[in-house]
Amino acid sequence: MAEAVVCFVAEGLEEFVSRNGEYLSEIRDQVQLALTELQLMRRFAKFVDGRQGDDVEARSWVARIIRDAAYDLEVIVETYSLKVVLRRKGVCQSAMKRYACMFIDRIRVRKIESKICDITNTISELRLSLQTNRIEVLIPNYLPPRDTEHHPHPIVGLEAKVKALVMRLEQNEDPVIAILGMGGIGKTTLAKEVYHHHAVRRHFDCFAWVCISQQFEVRRVWEEILVQFISPTNEQREEIASMDDDEIARKLIRLLGEKRCLVVIDDIWRTEDWELLRLPFPVYGATGSKILLTTRNKEVALYAARNGFILHCYPLTEDESWELFENIAFSGRNDRGPEIFERMKKLGVRMIRHCNGLPLAIVTLAGLLARKKTLDEWNRVYENVYRSYDIEEYTSVHWMLAMSYDDLPYYLKPCFLYLGQFPEDLEIPAKELTQLWIAEGFISLAQQKQRLLATVEDVAYNCLSELVERGIVQVGKRGSVRKIKTCRMHDLMRELCLSKAREEEFLKIVNFSNIGHEPTGKVRRLALYFDANDVELVSSRYESQDHVRSLLFFGPKNWIPKSTTYILSTFKDLKFLRVLKVEYMVREVRLPTEIGNMLCLRFLSLRKSNIIWLPPSLGNLICLQTLNLDFCHSNDRTPIIPNVIWKMEQLRHLYLLYYSSSSVLRLSNLCNLQTLSCVSSDFCDMSDLTKLTNLRKLGIRLSRPVQNLEELLRSASSTLNRIQSLFVKNDVGVNIQEEVMQIVLSCCRIYKLKLYGPIKELSTDPQHYPNLTKLSLCECHLEDDQMAILERLPNLRILSLQSLSFQESTKTLVCSSGGFLRLETLSLEDLKTLEEWRIEEGAMPSLLQLGIHCCYRLKTVPHGLIYISSLRDFTIGRMPRTFYSRLQEGGEDFYIVRRVPSLALGDVHEE
């Protein structure tokens, strides 16, 4: 990590100096000398990182000096230059004030010069000391190769276990089934295979999957299970949130008694956890509902499944281990020549013996070796395996995970450690994660140029992909074009992450449910965990933490802190923050004026928080790259956004509240902006969009007709041609239907489109949308003949038809033969007037997922589904009881869906 810090700080400062050189003229020479020393220190930093077997205390001491010196230099240079920028943009306007400012500046410059010289001397003295001791002779000149091959992680050795569990689940016995095994053995993977198995999906009516962290709230778990069972509407969600614990438990008991339900509880640690959770679950298997749990603790399995069944997960055999290893390490091919392959195979066989048959260890080792193309590289890993295995601190799978971390190139180590801030079992949004990496300075322009990619966002996404390919990070969900949408970490990998983060003094987690955890040392990144019953927050505990650069708040959605003392003091005391994330806080807060002192802030998210006032000093944040002002929606207390965003020239992602009351916002000079969501014609001059030449994602709310729209669209053609994702909300009504479609047709390269509100009609030429892969329609009031246009879209993969997508008079929808050739996911939701849906043979040949929800008048599923052999998942929710009865075994329409592997019938809509 010392090398990563040196590289990121040096590269970031070089970029900063080149961009702000005019504001650094007085200290330019001192800064340049310090940067030179930093660059010279890089090879020593790399050496320190690589000496994992040496004196840990000495190595940590050297690394700390290097890191602290680099960070201190960064803070001094950035804050000084940013203050100069702000002064020159409006402070000290009178002659007397200018004279006073000049005098103060000279004093400040001398202090800054002195501080930079001290840092330079510290780095130089350490470098000379290391050089005198001839440490550089030992420095390796090897850097791991970089490529972007994809290495799938196949399921090996699970077939018999899956079959046994499916058989048990289909029987009326064994109300509780436990999967028991050590960490990394594949318990969760096995549970997922069973959970999604076609026979299981057909056998049960309702499904729920919950992960249990070591610190969890019973109510939250019950609530999550209930939500997954019934797929509630927004109104029902609010009703559930208002229930007390007993009401939720009673509702679960009733559901588990009425329907055949499957609940998977992943990773229970203690018997007392099961005692807390078990109240609403069946004691006997008469209803057919089942609980499937995974645990490492034998006592938990014996206690919870004392009237059920325990499946023991044992390590893979040698043959199974090799099969799993070979599929990943060699990617199913051999292009190295028979002799080299055989020698690599011998090395591989020897190495996987030390994995003890643990799939996680094998996958990690194979992912590491998949990127090694030469025999010498394999030999180096082989030597490291044996050296690492002899160290007592590495046991079981941990030594392999640690080696996979040590093998990471410098630019991936901080990206990996950053994941440790997120709560256990959380699926982390990829877009937000990459924005945070960029704000922290982990993704540099040098990497962008080296990889010949268009944006730093592309580089950041590639870093995430590389962590996935190495088996270090797991994919949660993928989007419409197969990009990673969410990611997560195995709990053992997270343990390693947190261990390394502590060792590197990289971050600190403070859990307010356990006040004993206090931040120590010079913490750069702080993650604060709250629960629904958080204690009074005392700001004085952290007032000395002025070196904190990143502060992330994590609490339950819609959490109400009993005190906002610490939250508000953050804006006053932590002036060097780069990242501030405070989301889902529903207590009313006036954003303090002091936020304008956070000159280094690059990422600010107040999403879904109840902010009732924003200060004009927000305009001081001229380094912001991501700004999320998508607040809680409150008509009477919605804050006015001051017209200062135009000052944030580095802004790349801007998220606004759809119904914000605002002064007219000037946006024309935000030439770096890539995301603008959502801008309203009420408070933005739409002609500003013509200047946003880097825009990729655009959300527009049309609250009034746009003047001179055709001329505006012509002048904005180069901007609109680059947009990939578009959302248009028509709040005016039928009067601007044509204007909406003019905007859509001007964005000819979009791959994602969402339309909300009336539109006249879609273009009859499907070539107007050649790249469109995802389409969502809501309240568009289309004629039913528009379905013929939708089904001819050449690359459409995901289609969502929601409330009033078609006119109220539309009672029948038809999917024609040869239509929707590439469609994979179709959702029909809240189409209350739809009575009949016909599918002709040859329509939707690629359909994988289908959902029908709240279409109350639809009498039955279309007979044509019988022709779609590709369909794998069919979910139905909030439909009439008669609709369900026709589809159940023995029902008159059962023959249509009997071959669908996964059929989930949700909550019944009561007339």
Side-chain angles (χ1 to χ4, degrees):
M1 267 299 297
E3 181 193 11
V5 172
V6 168
C7 290
F8 294 139
V9 170
E11 291 171 0
L13 278 180
E14 284 177 352
E15 176 197 345
F16 187 84
V17 169
S18 66
R19 191 174 60 243
N20 300 281
E22 61 180 301
Y23 306 114
L24 294 166
S25 56
E26 291 127 325
I27 60 172
R28 182 191 298 276
D29 293 341
Q30 289 82 1
V31 172
Q32 200 57 58
L33 181 60
L35 282 173
T36 301
E37 283 294 339
L38 265 185
Q39 293 288 15
L40 291 172
M41 179 56 79
R42 177 181 175 180
R43 58 177 180 164
F44 296 102
K46 180 181 176 183
F47 171 74
V48 168
D49 287 344
R51 303 296 289 178
Q52 299 300 321
D54 290 351
D55 187 333
V56 175
E57 187 175 342
R59 180 169 55 83
S60 297
W61 176 78
V62 173
R64 187 180 301 113
I65 292 176
I66 296 173
R67 290 197 306 267
D68 288 351
Y71 282 134
D72 290 345
L73 177 64
E74 181 181 51
V75 169
I76 289 170
V77 174
E78 287 191 2
T79 52
Y80 169 77
S81 62
L82 291 172
K83 285 179 179 178
V84 173
V85 171
L86 291 175
R87 276 201 306 278
R88 294 189 183 180
K89 287 188 174 182
V91 181
C92 299
Q93 294 301 313
S94 69
M96 184 175 293
K97 286 184 177 180
R98 282 199 301 271
Y99 181 79
C101 286
M102 288 172 61
F103 178 74
I104 294 171
D105 279 350
R106 282 197 292 272
I107 297 174
R108 184 180 289 112
V109 167
R110 291 195 194 100
K111 289 182 178 179
I112 296 297
E113 286 177 337
S114 176
K115 289 181 180 179
I116 294 175
C117 285
D118 289 344
I119 293 171
T120 305
N121 290 336
T122 299
I123 299 173
S124 179
E125 288 170 7
L126 178 60
R127 181 175 59 82
L128 290 173
S129 173
L130 295 173
Q131 194 168 356
T132 301
N133 290 292
R134 299 189 61 77
I135 288 181
E136 77 280 2
V137 174
L138 302 174
I139 296 176
N141 56 12
Y142 167 70
L143 278 175
R146 304 173 185 175
D147 59 55
T148 56
E149 289 183 15
H150 175 67
H151 306 291
H153 300 166
I155 306 301
V156 174
L158 295 184
E159 294 83 0
K161 298 184 182 71
V162 169
K163 186 176 181 180
L165 285 176
V166 169
M167 183 180 68
R168 290 278 178 176
L169 288 171
E170 288 180 320
Q171 296 172 355
N172 281 334
E173 302 161 353
D174 307 324
V176 179
I177 297 174
I179 302 175
L180 173 65
M182 67 179 73
I185 200 69
K187 301 184 297 297
T188 301
T189 302
L190 173 58
K192 284 182 179 177
E193 286 293 302
V194 172
Y195 185 74
H196 293 289
H197 195 277
H198 64 88
V200 171
R201 285 279 152 175
R202 297 193 63 83
H203 183 74
F204 291 95
D205 303 316
C206 300
F207 300 84
W209 179 295
V210 289
C211 298
I212 305 299
S213 59
Q214 293 192 47
Q215 295 174 342
F216 68 94
E217 291 182 65
V218 173
R219 179 206 164 83
R220 295 280 175 189
V221 175
W222 289 352
E223 191 174 322
E224 178 61 27
I225 293 172
L226 181 58
V227 166
Q228 291 186 48
F229 274 172
I230 67 175
S231 301
T233 62
N234 290 334
E235 292 78 10
Q236 288 175 313
R237 284 180 181 272
E238 292 175 4
E239 181 185 344
I240 293 171
S242 65
M243 291 179 180
D244 60 32
D245 295 0
D246 289 342
E247 287 178 302
I248 291 178
R250 284 195 295 270
K251 192 166 182 65
L252 278 176
I253 291 171
R254 187 166 63 252
L255 274 171
L256 289 161
E258 293 173 352
K259 295 188 175 185
R260 191 179 291 164
C261 305
L262 174 63
V263 180
V264 177
I265 305 177
D266 190 27
D267 206 13
I268 297 186
W269 287 71
R270 299 174 294 269
T271 54
E272 50 266 37
D273 294 345
W274 172 251
E275 268 304 310
L276 291 170
L277 289 169
R278 65 184 293 271
L279 176 62
F281 299 149
V283 179
Y284 305 103
T287 63
S289 292
K290 304 271 187 174
I291 308 297
L292 176 65
L293 62 88
T294 72
T295 183
R296 308 181 198 181
N297 190 331
K298 186 176 181 179
E299 290 183 8
V300 171
L302 291 172
Y303 182 71
R306 56 187 180 275
N307 295 319
F309 172 72
I310 300 174
L311 187 141
H312 295 263
C313 281
Y314 297 104
L316 300 179
T317 65
E318 284 191 15
D319 289 342
E320 290 170 340
S321 297
W322 173 253
E323 181 184 351
L324 178 59
F325 174 85
E326 184 180 30
N327 286 337
I328 299 171
F330 295 104
S331 301
R333 60 186 177 84
N334 173 24
D335 56 0
R336 297 169 173 85
E339 183 179 348
I340 298 297
F341 176 78
E342 285 302 317
R343 294 173 70 178
M344 285 181 170
K345 181 176 179 179
K346 288 180 180 179
L347 291 173
V349 169
R350 292 174 187 170
M351 284 186 278
I352 61 175
R353 286 173 185 162
H354 295 289
C355 294
N356 298 322
L358 293 177
L360 181 61
I362 296 168
V363 166
T364 304
L365 173 64
L368 187 157
L369 287 167
R371 311 183 70 84
K372 313 295 184 185
K373 303 302 181 185
T374 69
L375 187 60
D376 286 344
E377 291 171 323
W378 276 57
N379 273 313
R380 287 194 191 98
V381 174
Y382 175 73
E383 292 167 5
N384 287 335
V385 166
Y386 275 86
R387 186 170 67 244
S388 299
Y389 195 70
D390 289 337
I391 300 175
E392 289 184 4
E393 64 179 285
Y394 293 122
T395 58
S396 184
V397 71
H398 293 89
W399 64 271
M400 182 58 67
L401 303 186
M403 192 174 69
S404 70
Y405 169 79
D406 294 337
D407 185 70
L408 290 176
Y410 78 89
Y411 59 87
L412 284 184
K413 286 184 177 179
C415 295
F416 170 69
L417 295 184
Y418 204 80
L419 293 163
Q421 294 183 103
F422 294 89
E424 184 180 2
D425 297 323
L426 179 72
E427 286 210 356
I428 306 166
K431 183 174 292 185
E432 181 181 88
L433 177 63
T434 54
Q435 290 172 356
L436 288 166
W437 284 348
I438 293 167
E440 289 277 4
F442 301 158
I443 313 298
S444 68
L445 287 177
Q447 288 174 273
Q448 181 184 344
K449 293 174 183 176
Q450 184 177 358
R451 297 189 177 205
L452 301 176
L453 293 170
T455 66
V456 287
E457 283 80 6
D458 293 333
V459 180
Y461 180 81
N462 272 18
C463 289
L464 177 58
S465 296
E466 191 170 341
L467 288 173
V468 168
E469 289 158 10
R470 288 172 175 268
I472 290 176
V473 174
Q474 300 172 341
V475 175
K477 299 183 182 72
R478 290 189 181 271
S480 57
V481 290
R482 305 294 189 267
K483 290 188 70 173
I484 300 169
K485 191 171 184 179
T486 64
C487 64
R488 58 175 181 265
M489 280 199 297
H490 190 282
D491 52 0
L492 291 182
M493 192 64 78
R494 186 171 185 269
E495 288 174 15
L496 169 74
C497 180
L498 292 176
S499 172
K500 291 292 182 181
R502 285 191 294 268
E503 179 184 321
E504 300 284 356
E505 296 181 353
F506 186 81
L507 61 86
K508 178 71 178 181
I509 295 175
V510 180
N511 195 326
F512 279 90
S513 63
N514 184 353
I515 302 302
H517 287 117
E518 293 285 345
T520 57
K522 210 167 185 179
V523 179
R524 303 281 174 183
R525 295 166 189 87
L526 198 58
L528 306 182
Y529 290 8
F530 300 92
D531 58 30
N533 302 308
D534 66 331
V535 298
E536 283 289 316
L537 306 182
V538 183
S539 65
S540 59
R541 185 184 307 156
Y542 300 107
E543 283 178 356
S544 62
Q545 305 290 329
D546 58 354
H547 43 263
V548 174
R549 309 303 305 280
S550 172
L551 183 60
L552 279 67
F553 290 77
F554 292 100
K557 290 191 176 181
N558 302 327
W559 60 290
I560 306 176
K562 296 178 181 177
S563 167
T564 57
T565 305
Y566 175 61
I567 297 169
L568 297 181
S569 70
T570 295
F571 302 101
K572 301 175 182 178
D573 303 322
L574 305 180
K575 298 178 181 178
F576 302 123
L577 280 183
R578 281 191 169 191
V579 168
L580 179 59
K581 182 174 181 282
V582 187
E583 299 179 345
Y584 292 99
M585 182 179 63
V586 297
R587 179 185 288 274
E588 290 186 352
V589 173
R590 292 171 61 88
L591 207 60
T593 301
E594 287 83 356
I595 192 173
N597 296 331
M598 295 182 179
L599 301 181
C600 297
L601 205 61
R602 286 161 167 74
F603 180 101
L604 174 60
S605 179
L606 304 169
R607 183 167 63 109
K608 304 308 177 188
S609 290
N610 197 358
I611 309 297
I612 59 174
W613 184 77
L614 292 168
S617 63
L618 199 68
N620 290 350
L621 308 182
I622 58 177
C623 286
L624 269 182
Q625 299 168 347
T626 298
L627 176 60
N628 196 323
L629 301 179
D630 184 11
F631 304 129
C632 292
H633 177 47
S634 175
N635 289 323
D636 54 338
R637 301 299 298 273
T638 302
I640 295 176
I641 301 175
N643 184 24
V644 295
I645 293 177
W646 63 270
K647 299 179 181 180
M648 306 169 186
E649 295 181 357
Q650 296 186 43
L651 205 60
R652 305 175 73 84
H653 307 282
L654 175 60
Y655 304 89
L656 301 171
L657 182 64
Y658 289 103
Y659 295 96
S660 175
S661 58
S662 173
S663 53
V664 175
L665 295 180
R666 174 184 163 194
L667 303 173
S668 58
N669 62 329
L670 302 181
C671 58
N672 291 309
L673 204 63
Q674 295 185 24
T675 302
L676 178 55
S677 177
C678 174
V679 62
S680 171
S681 56
D682 269 344
F683 60 83
C684 176
D685 185 345
M686 302 303 284
S687 64
D688 283 357
L689 299 181
T690 64
K691 311 294 194 310
L692 308 182
T693 55
N694 283 302
L695 208 57
R696 298 293 181 271
K697 180 176 181 178
L698 175 62
I700 304 177
R701 173 178 168 250
L702 297 175
S703 48
R704 56 183 173 82
V706 179
Q707 300 297 320
N708 303 316
L709 181 62
E710 290 188 15
E711 182 181 341
L712 174 63
L713 293 176
R714 280 197 300 272
S715 58
S717 59
S718 61
T719 295
L720 298 176
N721 278 340
R722 292 184 176 91
I723 290 176
Q724 300 171 348
S725 177
L726 177 66
F727 171 42
V728 183
K729 189 174 192 303
N730 174 5
D731 276 353
V732 181
V734 295
N735 295 334
I736 62 165
Q737 294 178 98
E738 292 187 9
E739 285 88 336
V740 171
M741 290 315 299
Q742 282 182 279
I743 294 172
V744 173
L745 292 174
S746 298
C747 302
C748 57
R749 296 184 180 178
I750 50 173
Y751 69 84
K752 183 177 179 181
L753 174 62
K754 183 174 183 180
L755 298 176
Y756 194 120
I759 58 175
K760 186 174 183 181
E761 60 181 15
L762 299 166
S763 170
T764 57
D765 184 1
Q767 295 307 315
H768 279 143
Y769 319 96
N771 301 321
L772 192 62
T773 61
K774 183 175 182 179
L775 176 61
S776 299
L777 302 176
C778 184
E779 298 189 10
C780 293
H781 298 276
L782 293 172
E783 298 280 356
D784 55 4
D785 62 356
Q786 296 288 289
M787 197 69 167
I789 297 174
L790 293 178
E791 66 185 11
R792 289 191 292 129
L793 294 173
N795 288 299
L796 190 65
R797 291 178 180 167
I798 300 175
L799 175 61
S800 175
L801 300 177
Q802 301 173 33
S803 173
L804 292 175
S805 295
F806 295 89
Q807 293 188 0
E808 292 186 11
S809 59
T810 300
K811 293 179 170 45
T812 303
L813 291 180
V814 179
C815 296
S816 307
S817 178
F820 294 116
L821 289 177
R822 302 192 67 178
L823 192 68
E824 297 175 359
T825 301
L826 175 61
S827 174
L828 307 180
E829 184 173 353
D830 207 24
L831 302 181
K832 293 186 173 66
T833 64
L834 182 63
E835 297 180 1
E836 183 184 11
W837 177 27
R838 296 202 303 269
I839 298 177
E840 297 179 358
E841 185 175 0
M844 297 188 288
S846 304
L847 192 67
L848 298 173
Q849 297 175 313
L850 173 62
I852 300 177
H853 297 86
C854 304
C855 300
Y856 306 137
R857 295 187 182 180
L858 187 62
K859 298 179 178 61
T860 182
V861 296
H863 169 81
L865 281 178
I866 200 169
Y867 304 123
I868 305 177
S869 59
S870 59
L871 187 60
R872 290 290 173 267
D873 294 289
F874 189 3
T875 60
I876 302 170
R878 302 290 296 167
M879 294 293 287
R881 193 176 301 278
T882 54
F883 189 92
Y884 288 117
S885 63
R886 294 172 67 102
L887 294 175
Q888 291 171 341
E889 191 166 355
E892 54 192 298
D893 294 330
F894 176 70
Y895 75 98
I896 299 175
V897 297
R898 65 180 179 180
R899 293 181 181 175
V900 178
S902 175
L903 177 64
L905 304 179
D907 205 21
V908 175
H909 168 67
E910 301 293 348
E911 301 272 352

